[in-house]
């Protein structure tokens, strides 16, 4: 199984961070993501999504999300969260890398291994607000929907589109991987 040190994993590892922008109409909002767990063998990852400036009441919103990674366990068909096959085709179709899968949304499981693919397709479903998981809705913001995501391994970039039946269609998300520099600290006695 690939690890964070494996060059082919690029930005998909626990602790990895991404920064970018979500655009909705003429407005744009700064977004940061920090991955907490990545297990491509189980077609799963999760993390925190932080968006700034969306509402006055909550100038910074952080949500916990889980991802279904398309491939070994999940197809391109969502089948929940108010998304139908037409919705899936419209949203996945926004990604250039999707064109080779457009004719068969269901059988891709055997054709796509996210641990080795140039593009990793996912659905990110926000579950709750952090730190107060009891808040279920916020005026001017929605985390009831989910994101269609395409991660491009070569550039470690994320492109996405938010979907919720009651929200503006095709709100876009663009993020780049934040290179983390670490240094060791030693103390001699």
């Amino acid at each position: 199984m690939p690890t964070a040190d494996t060059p082919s994993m690029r930005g998909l590892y626990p602790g990895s961070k991404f920064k970018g922008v979500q655009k909705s109409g003429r407005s744009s909002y700064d977004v940061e993501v920090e991955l907490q767990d990545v297990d491509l063998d189980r077609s799963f990852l999760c993390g925190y999504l932080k968006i700034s400036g969306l509402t006055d009441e909550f100038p910074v919103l952080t949500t916990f999300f889980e991802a279904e990674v398309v491939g070994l366990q999940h197809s391109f068909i969502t089948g929940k969260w108010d998304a139908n096959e037409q919705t899936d085709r419209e949203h996945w179709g926004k990604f250039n890398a999707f064109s080779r899968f457009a004719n068969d949304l269901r059988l891709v499981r055997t054709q796509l291994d996210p641990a080795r693919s140039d593009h990793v397709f996912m659905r990110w479903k926000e579950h709750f607000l952090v730190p107060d998981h009891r808040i279920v809705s916020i005026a001017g913001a929605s985390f009831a929907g989910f994101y269609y995501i395409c991660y491009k391994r070569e550039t470690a970039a994320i492109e996405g589109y938010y979907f919720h039946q009651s929200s503006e269609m095709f709100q876009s998300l663009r993020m780049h991987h934040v290179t983390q520099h670490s240094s060791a600290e030693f103390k001699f006695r």
Side-chain angles (χ1 to χ4, degrees), residues 25-44:
R26 294 183 178 183
S27 301
S28 34
Y29 308 96
D30 292 334
V31 176
E32 296 179 29
V33 164
E34 182 174 347
L35 301 180
Q36 297 298 303
D37 186 21
V38 177
D39 187 344
L40 296 181
D41 290 336
R42 289 184 335 156
S43 298
F44 174 83

Side-chain angles (χ1 to χ4, degrees), residues 58-183:
F58 293 92
V60 177
L61 287 170
T62 302
T63 57
F64 174 78
F65 72 89
E66 290 181 322
E68 294 180 348
V69 180
V70 174
L72 306 175
Q73 295 183 24
H74 302 286
S75 74
F76 283 106
I77 301 291
T78 303
K80 54 187 165 188
W81 307 320
D82 296 324
N84 57 36
E85 191 168 324
Q86 182 62 32
T87 305
D88 289 333
R89 285 188 184 283
E90 290 171 354
H91 283 77
W92 290 125
K94 293 276 192 191
F95 305 112
N96 291 333
F98 174 73
S99 62
R100 67 180 223 195
F101 303 109
N103 292 331
D104 193 354
L105 297 181
R106 297 178 197 282
L107 297 179
V108 72
R109 293 178 193 189
T110 59
Q111 303 165 353
L112 187 62
D113 180 355
R116 288 156 188 70
S117 178
D118 292 338
H119 295 87
V120 180
F121 297 96
M122 302 173 256
R123 283 178 288 271
W124 287 3
K125 174 64 178 138
E126 296 171 288
H127 289 291
F128 54 83
L129 198 61
V130 176
D132 192 348
H133 66 279
R134 297 169 296 175
I135 297 174
V136 293
S137 67
I138 296 170
S142 168
F143 53 92
F146 69 98
Y147 291 89
Y148 290 86
I149 298 289
C150 179
Y151 172 76
K152 187 174 182 182
R153 194 178 309 274
E154 181 182 337
T155 60
I158 290 175
E159 177 183 359
Y161 297 94
Y162 183 75
F163 171 75
H164 184 259
Q165 264 185 332
S166 302
S167 295
E168 176 188 329
M169 293 292 286
F170 307 116
Q171 296 177 48
S172 66
L173 178 67
R174 303 282 185 275
M175 295 189 297
H176 63 276
H177 183 252
V178 178
T179 304
Q180 298 171 354
H181 303 282
S182 62
S183 60

